[in-house]
Amino acid sequence: DDGEEEGDPAMDEEQAKVAAQKLEESIPAFLELAWAINIRDITRTLKHACNKLFTDAEVPTATRIQRAEAVRIIGYEFHAIGKSRGGEKYSVKDTADIKARAEVAVMTTMAKAQGQEVSEDDTEEMIKQAKNMRADMEKGATNNADAEKENGPY
């Protein structure tokens, strides 16, 4: 018996680890896709909104010029904030935050589906706890790996 028969708990655990690692490696691609979709949606929305703002024949030209100036100011501020936060780049910290928020979103949705009230403060607290738990688990995994290197697996 080589330990690879179906239902072997060690093999199932190994497969789960591999699947989790593959999912982890895929997060940047998912983020890139979500970002591309958001950019397209925002661009289309802004194009239609600006077209409406700038070509509204029911208001005087001076009002349309003021609207254009307001949009320019808003655009400048969005650009400045985006640039100060690294633009389109995201870090491992961001992906950990996204994972924590996704986990909490699932839990919150399930709770609301069962008729439970979940406030914004509750949600933020759950996100903080999820990130802390993930950090503790990663720290524990690192400590276990270090101990195994020093002492062997048993």
Side-chain angles (χ1 to χ4, degrees):
D1 187 6
D2 60 4
E4 291 190 25
E5 62 187 54
E6 196 171 321
D8 182 2
M11 185 55 94
D12 290 344
E13 185 177 327
E14 184 62 30
Q15 288 174 333
K17 285 182 182 178
V18 169
Q21 181 179 358
K22 293 291 183 192
L23 180 61
E24 186 90 19
E25 292 168 1
S26 299
I27 287 176
F30 293 138
L31 292 175
E32 298 265 341
L33 176 63
W35 184 244
I37 291 169
N38 281 329
I39 287 174
R40 183 177 173 149
D41 181 47
I42 291 167
T43 301
R44 282 180 156 180
T45 301
L46 282 172
K47 182 179 178 181
H48 293 300
C50 288
N51 190 37
K52 173 79 172 142
L53 283 173
F54 305 148
T55 61
D56 184 0
E58 295 182 14
V59 297
T61 303
T63 301
R64 292 194 299 257
I65 291 170
Q66 285 178 327
R67 289 175 176 177
E69 180 61 18
V71 168
R72 188 193 65 75
I73 292 168
I74 291 170
Y76 174 82
E77 292 300 324
F78 270 101
H79 182 264
I81 290 170
K83 191 173 181 181
S84 74
R85 294 188 176 199
E88 294 182 12
K89 303 288 184 223
Y90 49 85
S91 67
V92 173
K93 180 181 159 221
D94 296 332
T95 59
D97 185 60
I98 290 167
K99 281 191 270 184
R101 289 182 178 280
E103 290 168 1
V104 170
V106 169
M107 291 187 290
T108 302
T109 301
M110 291 171 54
K112 287 181 178 180
Q114 295 173 355
Q116 298 176 18
E117 294 284 327
V118 181
S119 72
E120 191 69 30
D121 290 339
D122 294 337
T123 302
E124 288 302 318
E125 181 61 30
M126 289 190 320
I127 290 167
K128 191 181 341 175
Q129 289 176 1
K131 286 195 283 190
N132 289 341
M133 286 173 49
R134 183 173 297 282
D136 289 346
M137 288 183 350
E138 288 172 1
K139 195 184 310 177
T142 301
N143 291 344
N144 289 343
D146 290 345
E148 199 170 294
K149 283 179 189 173
E150 283 181 27
N151 306 326
Y154 301 103

